[in-house]
Amino acid sequence: MHKLNYFFRFRDLEDSDENELTRALLAILRLVPATHFAFLDLIRERQRPGSVPSLVPSILLGLEPDIRTQEGIIHRESGYLISIVLTRVPWQTSLPVIRTEEIRCYDGVLYYGEDWIFILENKPKDDPPPAQTLEHQMCPNLPEGSEI
């Protein structure tokens, strides 16, 4: 969904804590620049060294962000992609983010210009344990030969 409805649940989805919290986070990122900057700064602090160039939050906020929810297709052909996982407890994985052919539906997809793409998954509950559901969920469904 390109337009985010701030007051009503996602069409055809149950009203769950995960969906409500994600919808609230994306709305705040759209409406409160200071919160958006802090969010980008947290991502920069936790970036895996050497995976992609380091984020510069002030430059990203200078671009018009395109924030979407419940998206299953990445609408870019090149750029850098970062997978973001929100969990109640710190979650670590040694698996790299690689492309997959499996269909995904991300809680959030954020585009910054032509160069940066963030996919966002929110797992606020411990049941099932996030490790069981996230290992492969964070791999984007990119076309073969994608430059992302």
Side-chain angles (χ1 to χ4, degrees):
M1 291 183 228
H2 182 64
K3 288 190 166 198
L4 184 62
N5 188 324
Y6 303 118
F7 303 106
F8 298 105
R9 65 182 183 86
F10 300 124
R11 185 176 49 230
D12 299 329
L13 289 178
E14 64 186 47
D15 232 1
S16 68
D17 293 342
E18 178 180 327
N19 291 336
E20 289 181 17
L21 289 168
T22 302
R23 187 170 59 233
L25 171 65
L26 295 177
I28 289 170
L29 293 179
R30 281 188 175 165
L31 298 172
V32 184
T35 302
H36 199 147
F37 186 87
F39 175 75
L40 293 172
D41 204 38
L42 286 171
I43 295 168
R44 181 193 52 78
E45 288 175 4
R46 287 165 176 80
Q47 268 186 282
R48 186 175 288 170
S51 58
V52 295
S54 285
L55 290 178
V56 181
S58 58
I59 291 176
L60 290 185
L61 279 183
L63 303 170
E64 182 66 33
D66 182 2
I67 301 174
R68 301 178 183 205
T69 186
Q70 301 303 312
E71 289 269 325
I73 298 171
I74 304 298
H75 296 281
R76 295 287 187 275
E77 295 183 14
S78 63
Y80 301 105
L81 183 138
I82 294 179
S83 289
I84 302 165
V85 179
L86 304 174
T87 59
R88 288 169 43 115
V89 296
W91 178 70
Q92 299 286 329
T93 181
S94 59
L95 293 179
V97 175
I98 56 173
R99 71 169 287 281
T100 182
E101 292 181 9
E102 293 179 29
I103 301 298
R104 301 278 188 248
C105 187
Y106 304 109
D107 294 331
V109 180
L110 297 86
Y111 299 98
Y112 297 89
E114 297 297 318
D115 292 329
W116 289 95
I117 306 155
F118 300 165
I119 56 175
L120 175 73
E121 273 300 315
N122 184 15
K123 298 297 178 204
K125 297 182 178 180
D126 293 331
D127 187 31
Q132 291 178 1
T133 59
L134 289 171
E135 290 290 349
H136 300 288
Q137 203 166 4
M138 297 314 300
C139 293
N141 53 333
L142 301 172
E144 183 98 29
S146 171
E147 293 183 26
I148 295 174

